[in-house]
Amino acid sequence: MVPAAEARLRSLLSRPLMDLGEYEAARRELDAAEACAEVSDHLVVRASVQEFSGRYWDRTDPVRAMEAYRNAIDLNTAAHEGRGAAIASYFLGCAQDAAEAHREALHTLRGAHDEFVARNDLRMAARAQVAIGIAHGRLDETDAAVRALSEAIEILEKKKATHYVAQALVALADIQESSQGDPHQVRAHLERALEIYEAGGSPLAEELRTRLAGGEPTAR
């Protein structure tokens, strides 16, 4: 098999393996993908594999995840792949936020958002805006968080990106609940998210049903 193609296939395979909880197998595929990508010396393929590796490390090692995303940004930039660099920046910002570097995350995410807008990629711009809203929420900047999330939800609904709409609705409910917002509004957001998850057969539906029933939600 051509090394670049094998690198792409192995990195893609890592995602369903992780979804199944088979992390060791996913890591083996990513290690093999990195080796193939290096042999191919194809900058965009190398960048893509680094991005997939970052998404693997997101679950266990934020420092390694951020390093992988920075590598992906550098490689995409060297290949003049602006959209690829913006996507890696989006994931980097999310990793920074998860590592509690919220201000740094906001700076990274705003850069990614602006790049997506400049490319008229409004779907990805809205996803970046959701992450911006979540980061504001973690800084207790409730007004900015609600504004960013509300605007993102409107765009994602227009783009029919329903899965991301549900994610944003749950994030908005979390922020409003933690800031003692209107409980009826909180419930309405969660009920809308539940409808989306149920329609799509998402396992997250059960978590929301438990939460709405007053029980403790499953840990994420």
Side-chain angles (χ1 to χ4, degrees):
M1 185 180 288
V2 176
E6 184 174 351
R8 286 186 183 277
L9 289 171
R10 287 185 180 276
S11 57
L12 284 167
L13 181 57
S14 71
R15 296 300 295 166
L17 286 171
M18 282 192 286
D19 290 340
L20 291 168
E22 297 181 17
Y23 298 113
E24 289 184 9
R27 186 65 258 168
R28 285 195 299 272
E29 293 298 335
L30 286 167
D31 288 343
E34 286 187 31
C36 291
E38 290 299 322
V39 169
S40 78
D41 200 29
H42 192 296
L43 289 175
V44 176
V45 172
R46 288 170 61 197
S48 177
V49 172
Q50 286 297 308
E51 182 191 307
F52 276 99
S53 190
R55 294 172 75 179
Y56 170 88
W57 291 118
D58 267 337
R59 305 192 182 207
T60 57
D61 191 334
V63 173
R64 292 187 75 168
M66 288 186 278
E67 180 183 353
Y69 291 136
R70 289 190 177 100
N71 288 339
I73 292 167
D74 291 343
L75 289 163
N76 274 309
T77 301
H80 306 291
E81 280 288 335
R83 185 175 183 275
I87 290 172
S89 294
Y90 161 73
F91 285 119
L92 173 61
C94 292
Q96 289 169 331
D97 192 41
E100 300 186 1
H102 307 306
R103 290 290 174 206
E104 190 176 2
L106 282 171
H107 176 75
T108 303
L109 290 165
R110 284 176 183 137
H113 174 270
D114 291 348
E115 184 65 28
F116 290 131
V117 170
R119 294 171 177 278
N120 201 33
D121 188 344
L122 300 185
R123 185 172 178 272
M124 277 304 304
R127 288 183 65 189
Q129 198 164 355
V130 170
I132 288 168
I134 291 169
H136 276 303
R138 288 174 173 157
L139 288 163
D140 294 325
E141 296 170 352
T142 304
D143 289 346
V146 170
R147 184 166 56 252
L149 286 164
S150 299
E151 290 173 0
I153 288 166
E154 186 176 343
I155 294 167
L156 289 166
E157 285 179 333
K158 287 178 181 176
K159 294 294 178 182
K160 302 188 187 304
T162 54
H163 178 75
Y164 298 120
V165 170
Q167 288 181 341
L169 286 166
V170 173
L172 182 56
D174 289 343
I175 288 164
Q176 290 179 321
E177 188 172 53
S178 65
S179 62
Q180 307 300 308
D182 182 351
H184 297 292
Q185 223 174 34
V186 170
R187 187 172 186 85
H189 295 325
L190 294 175
E191 286 176 343
R192 280 186 64 203
L194 176 60
E195 288 175 6
I196 292 169
Y197 283 143
E198 285 181 333
S202 170
L204 294 172
E206 184 57 36
E207 178 181 335
L208 281 189
R209 277 193 291 269
T210 301
R211 182 171 175 180
L212 285 163
E216 289 297 321
T218 307
R220 294 180 186 177

